[in-house]
Amino acid sequence: SKYKYAIDTMIERKCVVLSDISYMEPDFRHHGSSNGHEDGHFHEPISSLFYPISSDFSTSGGGILGAISFWFSWESTLTSTVPDNVEGLCLVVETPTGQQFTFRTAESGVVFEGIGDLHESRYDQMEVTATYIWCHPDDSSENDDHDHSHDPNVRGECKQPFDSGYKLKIYPTSAYNSTYLTKGPVTTAAFAALIFLFTTVTFLTYDCLVERRQTTVMKSAARSDRILHSLYPKFIRDRLYKNSEKEEEECMGEHTLANLFQSATVRLRNHLSVPKENSGGELATLIHPSPPIADLFTDTTVLVANIAGFTAWSSEREPTQVFQLLEVLYSEFDSEARKQGVFKVETNGDNYVAVVGLPDPRYDHALVMAQFAQRCLGRFRDLMKELELSLGPGTAKLGMRIGMHSGPVTAGVLRGERQRFQLFGDTISTARQLESTGVRNKVQISQETAELLKTAGLINTLSPREEVISVTGKGQLQTYWLHTNFPTKNTDVSFYDTDTFFEVGKASTPTIYEMQPSLHEAPKTARRNFLSDMKSLRAKSLKGEREKKELTPWTSWHSWSSISVANDSTEEELERLITWNASVLETHLQKILSQRKESKRTRRNSKTLSLVSTPPIPYIDELSEAVAMPSFNRDAVNRIMNQGYKMTPLPEKVRTELHNYVTRIAALYRGVNFHNFEHASHVTMSANKLMNKVCSPMLFNGNKKNEKKENKGGNTTKAQEADFFFSTYGIGLDPLAQFAIVFAALIHDVDHTGIPNFELIKENADLGSQYKNRTVAEQNSIHIALSILMEPKFENLRLCIYTDEESKQRFRQLLINVVVATDIADRDRMGKEKARWERAFADVSSSEELWQNKSDEELAQIDVSLKATLVLEQIMLASDVAHTMQHWLTFVKWNEKLFRELWAAYSSGRGTIDPRINWYQGQISFYDGYIIPLAKKLKECGVFGSAGEEYLSFALKNREEWTEKGEEISAQFIQSITMSGA
């Protein structure tokens, strides 16, 4: 039945026909078919082909005798029909009887998919239908002379085509869509966009970098131009630029191909390398290819200025303070030079050199320079007073010597390494000698300059110097003083002391301190009355009328004139000293508050113990071998080393009380020559300098042994933190100890009577017995300082220093230990101190092993109290005699003061030591037995950095110079007191 339709159609139409699709039986299937199932049944669609056989063996005529039938596979047929490598198409074959079978194209060919139409419905609109057409071949081909039976490409023409009823429907599939409908164009477009974006960003970045580089180059060029502008006159700059352009052109012509391919590093190294010395000494190789830059200027005036007393002053300060003074001073001079049209030539140390008359000639060059000198001298005086508030005592005592000379100079650039603009000739040499032979705070000018000023009508501003001076190469010269528009103080009466508060050689003003009772002998009301009396007496003794100033809250209860540092001190000088001391203490108080805030310690009222109403007690009984110090704290050390103290201003009440307290202490210093408030300020400055050296983390961040351990972020390592804490024995992390030392330096000699302790005991037996006849003056100073501090009016100051009983006792203990230590005449105590030192610092070199490679818990258990206490005592001892380990002039200045104090006590019958006897040899013994061993301790303990070496070096130099000059100086001391009648 399944072949009936095909056979009937074949008979009717006498053509080749196909039967309906059926399935291949297993027996007809080749073994190994890929479409078989495991049960052995095959379902591959096949059809039978019926080819009619006519009686005349043609398809156009005759009757049908029979038919040839054979089957064929639709998979094979469709595989041969569909082009190769077309995958993912869905083929649906539909028979005339309505049968439907689905196939799909794969890599291996067409594969049967299943019965029915199985295409994806979403592709219905993309259907493509083809119909199988049957036709009779054209018989005329049989009559062709050629045999085409073996040529598959030659077929007969379709004579009678008709629809076979078979249809082939073609659909795409999802697989086909994913293969041919890809995101390639989108990807390509996106990739192209990214390339464009990258190119744009790269260009913009490069343009930005080029712009930044150009800006940097322009800034560098502008900066270089400013530097050249400040170093050289315009005519010199122009010639330098011109010579530089020529050298660059010559250099470009000498470049070889090999030079062009050298790396930037090599070219830079070649450019910066110092040329090798010419071993042959050929003159041709030593002469510069371009002519020298030098000119002669016939009409100029040269000024040379020098700071008098600067060398001695700088030996007492920290390096940063020295440069602060020079920078402020020279900046002010430079500003004046720009206003006056003066050209600054150079600064060399504390020398300032300027010139007028080049590069542009000026007929008034002498007049302009004279005005400039007067302005500089005036500004110098004002600046030193201002700077004394931050740089300490003695700053306002600095002076300036100025020398001026007019004449021709040779000016130019001496080429070579570190080339600069310089002046040469007799004019600059004479100006330097006029400065060196001058007098502080005066302007010495030559005869030539004086004549030019007289011509300009300034004869009244000149006065001839009484004595002629000797100038190298010129012999004896008459010089002139240029008057300034402000009064100057003559301080040239002392042989070596040009910075003293009072003039050596003058008889002392009758001191009002002879009427002053000791503080412990007078009640509070008596002291207040005494201060009031001092005010009126001091006001009467001052020369001239002073402008009355409105009192500030700090000074509302007294006048500065009630305080004495030295007999001829002015109120202005005293006010600066007090303000500076208060500012130093304020800085350390800020550290205490900062640490307290960081540690979040709560504020508690301390158990106040008023010492005002109680009699003096022997403080030597409270001496401690080792004052307790804080233990190691990693967080605190890290914070201080990396961030420092977060300084915040003190409350105004505390600042006011602090200033009033310093003023009270200053008022209780007596008017003796050595142990006065000026000496206390000098000791405070030295103690603060040493303390800052101890507390500087830079000394330990830069240790070579730790350089390889530094973190990339620049923070300190654990080893550096341990080194800092234990190398300073915890002092660097203890702001209370730091404050206590500076506080002790301020008060350690308060109410000193100018006589040694053994004389004081004889003079005041009651006072001696109160303090067990030991270290009487020092204990008395402690008592006075603590008595005033415990007064109710200083409550806010106390609560700023300490907030609980523990910190209060530590402060008290530190104060007692370091002040009592200054009594170096107590042999028993000095012997114990020596034994403590030897026990604590027996082997400093191996002390690092105590804290290296230890955990934080182990480090916290290490006790540094003994070593810290000894170091703090050494700071106080060294500061008390710091003048012996500073510049030679500083030593002689204070040595003369001490000589005069002892002589005043002896001549008044209060002392038994005559300083005129054996003064020279006594100073040598003092250096050998005390000063040099003390300086060695400072160096050996390793806490003070370069300051230890500095103090020892000065001590050895001063001892050597005193050995050479001491006898003559001692004789001059004796002559001075004899002539003055003091």
Side-chain angles (χ1 to χ4, degrees):
S1 61
K2 60 183 177 180
Y3 299 117
K4 183 179 182 301
Y5 174 79
I7 294 173
D8 291 343
T9 301
M10 180 190 69
I11 295 173
E12 179 185 353
R13 297 188 178 183
K14 297 181 181 181
C15 64
V16 179
V17 296
L18 287 174
S19 67
D20 287 342
I21 298 175
S22 61
Y23 296 99
M24 179 182 288
E25 297 298 332
D27 293 340
F28 293 95
R29 179 70 182 172
H30 294 289
H31 296 289
S33 173
S34 62
N35 290 324
H37 294 281
E38 293 180 358
D39 57 3
H41 297 284
F42 296 90
H43 302 283
E44 181 180 353
I46 61 173
S47 290
S48 296
L49 177 66
F50 294 91
Y51 192 94
I53 300 176
S54 63
S55 58
D56 57 0
F57 294 97
S58 69
T59 59
S60 59
I64 300 301
L65 300 178
I68 300 176
S69 173
F70 60 92
W71 62 268
F72 68 91
S73 168
W74 279 100
E75 284 187 355
S76 301
T77 302
L78 292 174
T79 299
S80 62
T81 304
V82 176
D84 296 338
N85 301 321
V86 178
E87 301 179 21
L89 290 178
C90 179
L91 308 178
V92 179
V93 177
E94 184 177 346
T95 67
T97 60
Q99 289 180 309
Q100 290 181 329
F101 297 86
T102 302
F103 301 84
R104 64 177 175 83
T105 60
E107 184 178 0
S108 59
V110 177
V111 179
F112 176 58
E113 190 75 15
I115 301 173
D117 189 349
L118 302 179
H119 80 278
E120 299 177 43
S121 60
R122 60 176 176 164
Y123 295 113
D124 288 349
Q125 73 278 9
M126 302 181 69
E127 175 185 312
V128 176
T129 304
T131 303
Y132 283 97
I133 302 298
W134 304 122
C135 62
H136 293 286
D138 187 0
D139 293 339
S140 61
S141 60
E142 298 177 2
N143 300 323
D144 195 345
D145 294 337
H146 299 283
D147 184 7
H148 302 287
S149 59
H150 302 289
D151 189 351
N153 296 322
V154 178
R155 294 183 177 87
E157 296 181 358
C158 186
K159 186 175 182 181
Q160 297 180 352
F162 64 92
D163 186 359
S164 66
Y166 280 84
K167 295 180 180 180
L168 177 64
K169 299 178 181 180
I170 305 174
Y171 302 92
T173 63
S174 297
Y176 184 85
N177 183 64
S178 62
T179 302
Y180 294 96
L181 188 60
T182 66
K183 296 182 180 179
V186 177
T187 304
T188 303
F191 184 70
L194 287 175
I195 293 177
F196 176 77
L197 180 63
F198 175 76
T199 305
T200 304
V201 171
T202 302
F203 175 77
L204 292 176
T205 303
Y206 177 76
D207 184 68
C208 181
L209 292 175
V210 170
E211 183 68 22
R212 182 182 299 178
R213 172 71 175 173
Q214 187 69 13
T215 303
T216 303
V217 171
M218 293 302 296
K219 288 182 179 179
S220 178
R223 188 163 53 248
S224 300
D225 188 69
R226 286 195 299 270
I227 294 174
L228 286 176
H229 188 275
S230 65
L231 292 177
Y232 306 112
K234 185 177 183 303
F235 81 100
I236 293 292
R237 296 197 305 272
D238 294 341
R239 290 168 68 173
L240 284 173
Y241 287 142
K242 186 176 181 180
N243 288 348
S244 178
E245 291 175 358
K246 288 182 179 180
E247 291 177 2
E248 288 179 1
E249 292 176 359
E250 294 174 359
C251 231
M252 289 297 295
E254 295 174 357
H255 279 326
T256 62
L257 185 61
N259 297 138
L260 297 177
F261 289 97
Q262 286 181 342
S263 66
T265 305
V266 174
R267 292 197 302 271
L268 179 62
R269 184 170 60 249
N270 293 339
H271 175 72
L272 296 178
S273 61
V274 179
K276 296 181 179 179
E277 296 183 0
N278 180 28
S279 58
E282 297 179 4
L283 182 61
T285 61
L286 300 176
I287 298 178
H288 201 278
S290 59
I293 303 175
D295 286 297
L296 177 66
F297 297 87
T298 57
D299 299 311
T300 66
T301 297
V302 177
L303 174 145
V304 178
N306 178 268
I307 304 175
F310 177 79
T311 305
W313 177 90
S314 61
S315 72
E316 304 168 8
R317 264 74 180 178
E318 300 176 52
T320 54
Q321 294 178 315
V322 174
F323 273 77
Q324 182 182 347
L325 181 140
L326 294 177
E327 287 176 353
V328 172
L329 178 63
Y330 290 159
S331 296
E332 190 68 22
F333 283 9
D334 293 345
S335 177
E336 290 291 342
R338 286 190 295 270
K339 295 177 184 177
Q340 298 291 326
V342 175
F343 179 74
K344 171 188 174 183
V345 179
E346 65 175 347
T347 57
N348 185 4
D350 57 334
N351 284 308
Y352 189 93
V353 181
V355 63
V356 178
L358 65 83
D360 300 322
R362 293 190 63 164
Y363 68 92
D364 60 345
H365 53 86
L367 176 61
V368 171
M369 188 60 84
Q371 294 174 344
F372 175 70
Q374 289 180 328
R375 289 180 179 272
C376 286
L377 208 53
R379 281 304 292 146
F380 175 83
R381 182 190 61 171
D382 296 336
L383 282 174
M384 293 305 102
K385 292 179 180 179
E386 295 173 15
L387 287 173
E388 189 168 55
L389 298 178
S390 60
L391 300 182
T395 303
K397 304 299 174 297
L398 292 173
M400 175 157 281
R401 296 187 303 267
I402 297 178
M404 287 171 49
H405 181 54
S406 301
V409 296
T410 299
V413 177
L414 187 61
R415 291 173 296 190
E417 292 185 46
R418 299 174 181 85
Q419 61 186 19
R420 57 192 175 92
F421 182 74
Q422 292 179 297
L423 302 181
F424 298 92
D426 177 72
T427 301
I428 179 66
S429 300
T430 302
R432 292 186 187 279
Q433 294 189 64
L434 290 175
E435 174 274 313
S436 62
T437 59
V439 174
R440 63 168 42 215
N441 297 333
K442 285 190 176 183
V443 181
Q444 183 173 216
I445 65 176
S446 65
Q447 179 76 41
E448 290 79 356
T449 305
E451 292 299 331
L452 291 173
L453 293 178
K454 290 178 183 178
T455 303
L458 299 181
I459 188 172
N460 293 330
T461 64
L462 306 174
S463 60
R465 184 169 181 170
E466 295 179 357
E467 68 279 359
V468 296
I469 64 171
S470 177
V471 176
T472 304
K474 289 193 171 187
Q476 303 294 317
L477 292 183
Q478 174 65 58
T479 59
Y480 293 79
W481 299 119
L482 175 65
H483 299 165
T484 56
N485 54 4
F486 58 90
T488 59
K489 181 180 178 181
N490 183 12
T491 56
D492 297 321
V493 293
S494 173
F495 300 112
Y496 306 99
D497 179 9
T498 57
D499 301 331
T500 179
F501 273 97
F502 59 93
E503 298 177 6
V504 178
K506 284 188 176 182
S508 300
T509 303
T511 176
I512 57 179
Y513 296 101
E514 296 176 0
M515 301 180 293
Q516 178 185 2
S518 298
L519 183 64
H520 53 77
E521 296 175 354
K524 185 184 299 184
T525 55
R527 291 198 303 274
R528 289 177 178 173
N529 294 334
F530 166 71
L531 292 176
S532 177
D533 294 338
M534 284 181 65
K535 175 180 177 180
S536 59
L537 288 171
R538 183 64 174 172
K540 292 179 181 179
S541 66
L542 294 175
K543 297 179 181 180
E545 294 293 328
R546 292 189 175 90
E547 180 182 355
K548 295 183 180 179
K549 299 181 180 180
E550 183 179 355
L551 296 178
T552 64
W554 285 347
T555 61
S556 58
W557 62 278
H558 78 292
S559 168
W560 300 129
S561 59
S562 65
I563 308 167
S564 179
V565 180
N567 295 343
D568 292 331
S569 300
T570 66
E571 294 180 10
E572 185 181 7
E573 292 170 343
L574 295 172
E575 183 177 359
R576 289 197 301 268
L577 265 187
I578 292 172
T579 302
W580 175 80
N581 279 282
S583 67
V584 172
L585 291 172
E586 181 178 349
T587 301
H588 291 283
L589 282 177
Q590 287 177 321
K591 293 181 181 180
I592 293 177
L593 292 182
S594 174
Q595 186 191 59
R596 191 175 298 157
K597 183 177 179 180
E598 291 293 338
S599 61
K600 299 180 181 179
R601 295 183 61 180
T602 57
R603 173 171 171 166
R604 295 177 292 172
N605 291 331
S606 62
K607 189 184 296 182
T608 56
L609 181 63
S610 177
L611 300 181
V612 176
S613 59
T614 59
I617 61 175
Y619 294 96
I620 56 174
D621 292 343
E622 298 185 43
L623 283 175
S624 174
E625 183 176 80
V627 180
M629 300 295 289
S631 59
F632 178 79
N633 184 305
R634 175 77 65 188
D635 294 337
V637 179
N638 181 276
R639 182 174 62 252
I640 296 303
M641 294 190 70
N642 294 307
Q643 302 175 14
Y645 290 97
K646 297 180 180 179
M647 309 289 272
T648 55
L650 293 181
E652 192 61 30
K653 290 182 179 180
V654 177
R655 296 184 72 246
T656 301
E657 292 181 11
L658 176 62
H659 201 280
N660 286 342
Y661 181 83
V662 176
T663 305
R664 287 280 298 276
I665 292 298
L668 294 172
Y669 269 92
R670 297 175 181 255
V672 294
N673 286 282
F674 184 86
H675 294 94
N676 50 38
F677 186 57
E678 182 190 2
H679 167 69
S681 300
H682 185 264
V683 175
T684 301
M685 180 171 58
S686 301
N688 191 57
K689 175 182 178 180
L690 289 175
M691 189 59 69
N692 288 338
K693 280 289 186 180
V694 173
C695 301
S696 175
M698 294 301 296
L699 294 176
F700 304 93
N701 281 344
N703 281 355
K704 292 183 178 180
K705 62 183 178 182
N706 288 328
E707 286 178 353
K708 297 182 179 179
K709 301 179 183 178
E710 289 187 8
N711 296 330
K712 294 182 179 179
N715 293 329
T716 54
T717 63
K718 290 186 176 182
Q720 289 174 331
E721 292 163 0
D723 285 345
F724 173 60
F725 181 87
F726 289 102
S727 295
T728 63
Y729 311 115
I731 300 174
L733 273 295
D734 189 0
L736 180 62
Q738 299 167 26
F739 173 82
I741 295 304
V742 180
F743 182 87
L746 174 68
I747 62 94
H748 79 288
D749 276 335
V750 67
D751 197 38
H752 199 290
T753 59
I755 58 177
N757 273 323
F758 69 91
E759 301 285 3
L760 181 60
I761 295 172
K762 295 178 184 178
E763 187 176 276
N764 194 333
D766 292 338
L767 183 66
S769 63
Q770 290 173 349
Y771 294 120
K772 294 186 176 181
N773 293 323
R774 290 182 57 193
T775 318
V776 177
E778 289 76 12
Q779 294 190 75
N780 184 47
S781 297
I782 296 172
H783 176 67
I784 293 173
L786 290 179
S787 298
I788 297 175
L789 183 62
M790 298 306 297
E791 292 178 6
K793 65 177 64 177
F794 298 114
E795 179 181 4
N796 293 293
L797 176 59
R798 291 197 304 274
L799 292 177
C800 185
I801 300 172
Y802 48 78
T803 58
D804 51 40
E805 190 65 26
E806 179 185 355
S807 57
K808 173 187 174 182
Q809 290 303 319
R810 282 193 68 238
F811 171 72
R812 177 187 176 93
Q813 193 65 65
L814 287 167
L815 183 65
I816 294 173
N817 264 55
V818 297
V819 173
V820 170
T822 59
D823 182 15
I824 59 177
D826 188 339
R827 297 183 179 276
D828 179 59
R829 193 203 59 79
M830 290 294 290
K832 293 179 180 178
E833 187 273 333
K834 182 178 180 181
R836 289 163 63 214
W837 182 272
E838 292 176 351
R839 187 170 69 255
F841 296 97
D843 187 6
V844 180
S845 60
S846 61
S847 60
E848 294 182 2
E849 299 176 359
L850 296 176
W851 66 78
Q852 289 181 347
N853 303 319
K854 298 287 181 66
S855 65
D856 288 359
E857 292 75 13
E858 292 174 321
L859 293 176
Q861 299 300 318
I862 301 177
D863 187 8
V864 295
S865 299
L866 177 58
K867 291 183 178 179
T869 303
L870 287 168
V871 168
L872 293 173
E873 292 175 2
Q874 298 308 306
I875 291 177
M876 190 64 193
L877 288 171
S879 300
D880 195 30
V881 291
H883 63 280
T884 64
M885 295 175 281
Q886 291 170 348
H887 191 270
W888 165 253
L889 293 180
T890 301
F891 162 65
V892 177
K893 162 188 169 179
W894 288 102
N895 189 258
E896 183 179 8
K897 287 175 178 288
L898 181 60
F899 180 90
R900 287 181 169 275
E901 180 175 287
L902 293 175
W903 169 251
Y906 178 77
S907 61
S908 62
R910 301 178 62 217
T912 57
I913 299 177
D914 185 354
R916 297 173 301 178
I917 300 174
N918 207 29
W919 183 258
Y920 164 73
Q921 189 59 45
Q923 301 308 302
I924 295 178
S925 300
F926 187 54
Y927 264 102
D928 293 340
Y930 181 70
I931 298 299
I932 293 178
L934 175 61
K936 289 181 178 180
K937 286 183 180 180
L938 297 180
K939 179 183 177 181
E940 291 170 357
C941 69
V943 177
F944 303 102
S946 59
E949 179 67 36
E950 175 190 355
Y951 275 43
L952 178 59
S953 176
F954 272 122
L956 295 173
K957 290 179 181 178
N958 288 343
R959 197 271 187 200
E960 180 181 357
E961 196 156 359
W962 179 262
T963 303
E964 179 182 349
K965 303 176 182 178
E967 287 186 294
E968 180 183 356
I969 294 173
S970 300
Q972 291 173 345
F973 288 171
I974 297 172
Q975 181 183 5
S976 175
I977 61 175
T978 302
M979 293 176 59
S980 64

